[in-house]
């Protein structure tokens, strides 16, 4: 029996050594790529991603001008916002993303994306638990929620589409579903008041989940929508990037930009949302040695600005709605600078 225990202990140690050596080899290869590519490669990657972000920024600027000139009124903004998060554009984006050959998507990549979403939610909860606790009631909830949850659909989807193309949208759809469910459960608790009940119906029937309910079976059983329906879904999915950017631009046009930059607390929210949480999650996920596309698609979603639901929940629970609008606005503006940094970092690590 002692010999058996000793053999089992030896086998366990060997497995641990193999795993640790695998991780160390992955990090060594990443370091080699970093040193070999050099500064010129990093600058080239940054400029490439920056050009794609510039496209999104210009689309956002169109919305900003239209909002300032009152060409798009508040009613028009509400109607456009209905098209995006409600069961119209976002579900079509997800369904369209799942219309790919299943053999081209490794099963491990799908499981990794699910793990990545759960790690992100857990990391966000742990980090934000120690932040903004001294803020008064009404502000504290808004700041915590704004720091925790990213704007996957509005900002994450367009960025993934620009950087990775259709290859990254399957993984983006999975992340979006996990984050949306987390917002309506964990986020509801953070933002809500005692006695408030979580709406199971809204959790189960959120637009991202609806898209997954339809799209995932199509992927698993290698089914394709009939051509007329596939074309309609594709056209509606293509509306996501321009419509989302214009909506964000109109939203920012309704805020006083100078007032946004005067509130110091907002900078802390922005640092946590755009840098701290995604950097911590990226460090953890690299230990899994994932492929480039699911990793980059996940991190882009995680480093997106504060979710638009921040302002919606603030109004619902009668918190500081002005603070919520400023949180979303400043994080959106500064994400134009920070999101390319994570893309370039991953391109450098993977040698892309």
């Amino acid at each position: 029996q002692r010999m058996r225990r000793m053999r089992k202990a030896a086998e366990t140690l060997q497995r641990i050594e193999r795993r640790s050596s695998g991780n160390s080899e992955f990090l060594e290869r990443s370091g080699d790529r970093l040193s070999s590519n050099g500064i010129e490669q990093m600058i080239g990657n940054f400029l490439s991603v920056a050009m794609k972000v510039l496209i999104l920024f210009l689309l956002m600027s169109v919305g900003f001008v239209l909002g300032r000139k009152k060409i798009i009124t508040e009613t028009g903004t509400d109607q456009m916002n209905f098209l995006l998060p409600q069961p119209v554009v976002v579900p079509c984006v997800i369904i369209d993303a799942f219309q790919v050959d299943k053999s081209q998507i490794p099963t491990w990549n799908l499981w990794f994306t699910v793990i990545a979403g759960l790690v992100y939610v857990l990391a966000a909860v742990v980090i934000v638990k120690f932040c903004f606790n001294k803020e008064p009631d009404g502000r504290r909830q808004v700041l915590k929620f704004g720091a925790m949850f990213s704007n996957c659909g509005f900002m994450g989807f367009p960025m993934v589409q620009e950087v990775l193309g259709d290859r990254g949208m399957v993984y983006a759809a999975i992340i979006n579903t996990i984050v949306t469910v987390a917002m309506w459960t964990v986020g509801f608790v953070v933002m809500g008041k005692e006695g408030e009940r979580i709406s199971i119906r809204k959790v189960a029937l959120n637009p991202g989940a609806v898209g997954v309910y339809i799209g995932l079976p199509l992927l698993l059983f290698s089914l394709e929508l009939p051509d007329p329906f596939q074309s309609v879904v594709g056209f509606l999915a293509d509306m996501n990037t321009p419509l989302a950017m214009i909506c964000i631009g109109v939203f920012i046009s309704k805020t006083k930009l100078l007032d946004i930059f005067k509130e110091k607390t907002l900078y802390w929210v922005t640092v946590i949302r755009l840098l701290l949480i995604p950097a911590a999650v990226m460090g953890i996920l690299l230990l899994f040695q994932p492929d480039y596309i699911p990793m980059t698609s996940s991190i882009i979603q995680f480093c997106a600005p504060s979710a638009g639901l921040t302002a919606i929940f603030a109004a619902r629970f009668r918190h500081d709605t002005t603070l919520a609008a400023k949180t979303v606005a400043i994080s959106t503006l500064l994400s134009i600078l920070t999101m390319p940094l994570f893309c370039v970092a991953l391109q450098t690590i993977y040698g892309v």
Side-chain angles (χ1 to χ4, degrees):
Q1 288 181 350
R2 286 182 181 176
M3 291 295 291
R4 279 200 209 103
R5 289 196 204 102
M6 291 175 67
R7 281 198 213 98
K8 287 183 180 179
E11 289 172 1
T12 303
L13 287 172
Q14 287 176 356
R15 284 197 298 270
I16 293 171
E17 286 175 1
R18 282 197 297 270
R19 287 175 185 169
S20 61
S21 64
N23 288 335
S24 62
E25 286 175 8
F26 176 77
L27 294 173
E28 284 174 9
R29 288 196 302 270
S30 302
D32 292 340
R33 292 187 188 118
L34 182 60
S35 59
S36 62
N37 287 339
I39 297 175
E40 290 184 4
Q41 180 70 27
M42 291 180 65
I43 293 174
N45 288 341
F46 182 82
L47 291 176
S48 175
V49 176
M51 285 300 294
K52 293 168 182 175
V53 174
L54 178 61
I55 294 171
L56 301 181
F57 178 76
L58 292 175
L59 286 170
M60 201 184 301
S61 301
V62 172
F64 183 85
V65 173
L66 293 175
R68 277 291 168 92
K69 296 290 185 181
K70 300 189 184 302
I71 296 174
I72 296 181
T73 62
E74 191 168 339
T75 302
T77 306
D78 292 340
Q79 290 171 340
M80 287 196 302
N81 283 335
F82 177 84
L83 285 175
L84 276 163
Q86 298 301 322
V88 183
V89 175
V90 168
C92 287
V93 172
I94 295 173
I95 295 168
D96 191 55
F98 281 118
Q99 288 286 279
V100 294
D101 186 358
K102 185 174 67 173
S103 63
Q104 296 178 359
I105 304 175
T107 304
W108 161 241
N109 284 352
L110 295 175
W111 280 113
F112 166 77
T113 309
V114 174
I115 293 170
L118 298 176
V119 168
Y120 163 74
V121 174
L122 181 60
V125 170
V126 171
I127 290 172
V128 174
K129 179 178 177 61
F130 303 99
C131 303
F132 313 115
N133 293 323
K134 294 183 180 180
E135 291 288 334
D137 190 58
R139 285 176 57 90
R140 182 179 63 257
Q141 295 91 333
V142 170
L143 295 171
K144 282 180 175 288
F145 190 96
M148 288 176 67
F149 296 108
S150 63
N151 200 342
C152 293
F154 271 61
M155 199 72 179
F157 276 1
M159 189 67 174
V160 170
Q161 185 70 50
E162 287 295 326
V163 175
L164 299 174
D166 294 337
R167 300 174 302 166
M169 291 305 294
V170 173
Y171 310 112
I174 294 172
I175 293 295
N176 177 73
T177 304
I178 293 172
V179 173
T180 303
V181 169
M183 283 194 289
W184 280 98
T185 51
V186 178
F188 194 93
V189 173
V190 170
M191 192 72 101
K193 298 177 180 178
E194 290 186 12
E196 292 281 354
R197 288 187 176 182
I198 296 173
S199 174
I200 303 300
R201 180 175 175 275
K202 288 186 176 180
V203 173
L205 297 180
N206 74 76
V210 170
V212 172
Y213 297 153
I214 299 172
L216 189 57
L218 295 176
L219 173 66
L220 295 177
F221 296 104
S222 300
L223 301 175
E224 290 187 4
L225 291 171
D227 185 48
F229 295 102
Q230 176 61 43
S231 297
V232 171
V233 169
F235 285 135
L236 288 171
D238 290 341
M239 290 172 58
N240 183 68
T241 296
L243 197 58
M245 292 300 101
I246 290 172
C247 284
I248 291 174
V250 174
F251 177 80
I252 293 174
S253 73
K254 299 183 184 301
T255 62
K256 295 181 179 179
L257 294 180
L258 292 178
D259 290 347
I260 292 174
F261 293 100
K262 288 179 182 178
E263 189 155 355
K264 294 180 180 179
T265 310
L266 294 178
Y267 288 104
W268 287 110
V269 177
T270 303
V271 168
I272 295 168
R273 167 86 299 281
L274 300 181
L275 296 174
L276 182 57
I277 292 176
V281 174
M282 187 172 79
I284 295 170
L285 295 181
L286 282 173
L287 298 176
F288 291 89
Q289 303 179 34
D291 291 339
Y292 169 72
I293 292 177
M295 177 67 173
T296 304
S297 180
S298 299
I299 295 301
I300 287 175
Q301 299 282 75
F302 300 153
C303 68
S306 299
L309 204 57
T310 307
I312 296 172
F313 272 2
R316 173 174 179 173
F317 295 111
R318 297 183 180 179
H319 295 318
D320 192 333
T321 53
T322 303
L323 179 66
K326 289 180 179 179
T327 301
V328 175
I330 191 172
S331 62
T332 302
L333 288 172
L334 294 180
S335 69
I336 296 171
L337 301 175
T338 57
M339 291 181 79
L341 295 177
F342 283 97
C343 295
V344 172
L346 288 169
Q347 287 175 345
T348 304
I349 290 171
Y350 283 89
V352 176

